[in-house]
Amino acid sequence: MVRSFKNPKKAKRKNKGAKKGEGSSSSSSDTVPSLPAKVWQPGVDKLEEGEELQCDASAYNSLHAFHIGWPCLSFDVLRDSLGLVRTEFPHTVYCVAGTQAEKSSWNLIGIFKLSNISGKRRELVPDKTGDENSDMGSDSDSDEEGEEAGSGTPVLHLRKVFHEGCVNRIRAMTQNPHIVASWGDTGHVQVWDFSSHLNALAESESDLSHGASAVSNQAPLVKFGGHKDEGYAIDWCPLVPGRLVSGDCKNCIHLWEPTSGTTWNIDANPFIGHTASVEDLQWSPTEPSVFASCSVDGTIGIWDIRLGKSPATTIKAHKADVNVISWNRLASCMLASGCDDGTFSIRDLRLLKEGDAVVAHFEYHKHPITSIEWSPHEASTMAVSSSDNQLTIWDLSLERDEEEEAEFKAKMKEQVNAPTDLPPQLLFVHQGQKDLKELHWHSQIPGMVVSTAADGFNILMPSNIENAIPANNAS
């Protein structure tokens, strides 16, 4: 149930795009450590006096940090018309985010475009021809690779819309991404039309700060005050354009049915089945009348809007608050859930009638799970963020192969200083952000993850996610 930032402060103005490693390192020094580099595990390893963390830039195809002013608890990546599967740098990304400012009247929704996102395409294992020189000091070689795939600083174009109170959560409609719903700490759910801002962003190419200073006082399409408390749970149906559910911190879930492209009929009688706050909501990717909810009461509910106001199924999911859920859109029988105790689980909904539907349970994180999301491109891959300041990426199809590990070490011609007790399904660990709150995969750029934290946003593309590398990458 960990949500709000402690004493949010406005980010200091700096370059919008991170230098290599920025946003994933606590070090400002460029000195090469005298001891061999090793993987640092938060909660396990301790930093001794004089030691410092340094980002291994070779672990990323792309890594950039930026901010829009105040910290953002929530954001969403917007679908765009730039291509359904994009693999070539530089990239362009459209997002919408809601702030948590120091004063309520300072809050806003930021609609922004980040363009010229540079990166590099790497082989998963280095070529034999450059092995001798590919040690920790070979940063110049990496830079040259990056030049070929876009260079320079990412460019941020930002539009601002005033929002009454902090934005607890914000979501864009899948089918019409200019339609956006926001949950405010004032207790209101609002729906907005940001088409004019997105059109302006699409046309802006040169002025770095175009629209960044002005905050428009746009009126929402709908402002719903029927919830009895503020909330965080909200989701658009991927199968019925405009269908929406919103859940609050009491235990109520309201259904929104579209009556036109800009109007809704909101059911005043809530769905009630939880005994505490509804933390997250997810529509089924295959059944337009079915959605899932999770709650502080430790349960997950599966609902069918055709069957009344009570859940069709209630699952005792975790021993503590269930903070977040994610329904796998490529394997619709799989539902993931993240808990306040740091654990997360995956359930096969086909096994519910048999009792225990848990097919995987992980206890890697030691602090609350704040976000969880299945990859839109790989059915077995998911990303998780936690209050332990880690963003982790998992592939549930992986198993440990000792022979393959030995071959890899031999090919690398060096000691691979990776911890031996990590789960074999753990693909990647990203660190450096403080108080991570939410992450999303980009549905049109395979391998790209965007995350928000107290100190701003990161855009990252790990180099060991194979589908981030184009299939026709010939040597």
Side-chain angles (χ1 to χ4, degrees):
M1 194 178 172
V2 177
R3 297 169 182 143
S4 61
F5 297 113
K6 295 179 180 178
N7 302 320
K9 294 182 179 178
K10 197 162 188 176
K12 293 180 180 177
R13 185 60 52 193
K14 58 182 178 182
N15 289 339
K16 299 291 191 306
K19 298 176 183 177
K20 187 192 305 184
E22 187 178 339
S24 186
S25 170
S26 61
S27 167
S28 59
S29 169
D30 292 328
T31 58
V32 178
S34 57
L35 295 175
K38 67 175 185 177
V39 177
W40 186 78
Q41 301 180 81
V44 178
D45 301 325
K46 293 183 178 179
L47 283 179
E48 303 295 338
E49 186 176 351
E51 286 187 325
E52 57 190 17
L53 296 180
Q54 291 194 340
C55 168
D56 181 2
S58 68
Y60 299 85
N61 286 334
S62 182
L63 174 61
H64 299 282
F66 67 97
H67 59 80
I68 66 168
W70 293 106
C72 298
L73 273 175
S74 182
F75 75 100
D76 207 0
V77 178
L78 304 183
R79 286 179 177 266
D80 57 51
S81 57
L82 300 177
L84 292 178
V85 182
R86 310 204 290 272
T87 57
E88 297 299 322
F89 292 104
H91 286 299
T92 295
V93 172
Y94 289 84
C95 293
V96 61
T99 66
Q100 188 180 59
E102 188 176 340
K103 291 185 179 180
S104 181
S105 59
W106 294 350
N107 280 294
L108 55 90
I109 293 174
I111 308 102
F112 59 89
K113 176 179 76 171
L114 194 71
S115 57
N116 196 40
I117 300 169
S118 60
K120 52 184 77 80
R121 194 178 303 139
R122 297 176 179 273
E123 297 294 339
L124 292 180
V125 178
D127 252 347
K128 291 180 181 177
T129 58
D131 275 355
E132 295 177 5
N133 297 321
S134 60
D135 56 15
M136 287 189 63
S138 61
D139 286 347
S140 58
D141 293 336
S142 300
D143 287 343
E144 289 174 11
E145 291 176 24
E147 291 292 331
E148 297 174 3
S151 61
T153 302
V155 180
L156 178 69
H157 296 268
L158 175 65
R159 309 273 294 188
K160 299 176 180 178
V161 174
F162 171 75
H163 187 276
E164 183 183 355
C166 296
V167 179
N168 292 344
R169 195 159 288 172
I170 192 163
R171 292 290 182 265
M173 191 192 301
T174 306
Q175 303 88 344
N176 299 303
H178 60 280
I179 302 296
V180 174
S182 66
W183 236 130
D185 66 357
T186 58
H188 295 102
V189 179
Q190 300 178 84
V191 177
W192 309 79
D193 183 349
F194 291 145
S195 54
S196 63
H197 300 285
L198 290 170
N199 290 338
L201 289 173
E203 296 169 3
S204 61
E205 289 298 336
S206 56
D207 183 5
L208 180 69
S209 60
H210 178 68
S213 57
V215 180
S216 66
N217 228 342
Q218 180 176 335
L221 296 174
V222 181
K223 183 177 182 180
F224 177 60
H227 282 283
K228 297 178 181 179
D229 197 357
E230 66 175 308
Y232 292 79
I234 195 165
D235 195 40
W236 293 101
C237 180
L239 301 175
V240 180
R243 181 174 283 175
L244 181 75
V245 278
S246 56
D248 59 40
C249 291
K250 291 295 185 184
N251 62 346
C252 298
I253 301 169
H254 287 272
L255 174 67
W256 301 49
E257 289 284 19
T259 52
S260 74
T262 56
T263 57
W264 283 260
N265 178 26
I266 308 166
D267 193 339
N269 296 317
F271 292 80
I272 296 179
H274 291 293
T275 58
S277 173
V278 179
E279 297 291 278
D280 202 3
L281 289 162
Q282 284 270 288
W283 284 99
S284 164
T286 57
E287 300 181 70
S289 63
V290 175
F291 68 88
S293 62
C294 67
S295 170
V296 166
D297 64 17
T299 68
I300 291 174
I302 308 293
W303 311 70
D304 190 326
I305 62 176
R306 301 167 298 183
L307 302 179
K309 304 292 185 177
S310 299
T313 304
T314 299
I315 308 162
K316 180 58 181 174
H318 290 274
K319 296 177 181 177
D321 307 4
V322 189
N323 294 335
V324 285
I325 51 176
S326 179
W327 208 318
N328 194 326
R329 297 197 175 189
L330 299 179
S332 61
C333 58
M334 296 296 175
L335 185 71
S337 57
C339 183
D340 220 41
D341 62 10
T343 65
F344 62 97
S345 301
I346 293 89
R347 284 177 170 77
D348 186 336
L349 300 178
R350 297 171 297 183
L351 304 177
L352 284 178
K353 294 180 180 178
E354 301 174 15
D356 188 9
V358 176
V359 293
H361 180 75
F362 295 95
E363 299 181 356
Y364 171 81
H365 291 284
K366 306 304 180 187
H367 295 272
I369 303 299
T370 58
S371 189
I372 190 167
E373 189 170 286
W374 291 100
S375 166
H377 297 102
E378 293 290 339
S380 62
T381 301
M382 61 168 29
V384 179
S385 68
S386 168
S387 296
D388 62 9
N389 299 328
Q390 292 186 83
L391 186 160
T392 53
I393 298 177
W394 303 75
D395 186 343
L396 304 184
S397 68
L398 294 179
E399 295 181 1
R400 176 157 275 131
D401 187 326
E402 294 182 2
E403 289 185 11
E404 187 176 315
E405 288 180 8
E407 288 179 15
F408 181 79
K409 289 180 180 180
K411 192 165 185 177
M412 293 293 285
K413 295 182 179 179
E414 62 181 49
Q415 175 69 33
V416 180
N417 292 310
T420 58
D421 58 343
L422 293 179
Q425 296 83 6
L426 180 58
L427 267 185
F428 196 84
V429 177
H430 172 69
Q431 300 177 62
Q433 286 182 281
K434 298 177 181 177
D435 208 358
L436 275 158
K437 289 302 180 186
E438 194 169 280
L439 61 84
H440 295 295
W441 296 88
H442 199 297
S443 63
Q444 295 165 269
I445 305 176
M448 176 178 281
V449 178
V450 187
S451 57
T452 185
D455 49 1
F457 291 86
N458 275 190
I459 286 186
L460 57 137
M461 298 179 72
S463 61
N464 66 337
I465 296 183
E466 294 188 42
N467 69 346
I469 300 174
N472 62 355
N473 183 26
S475 57

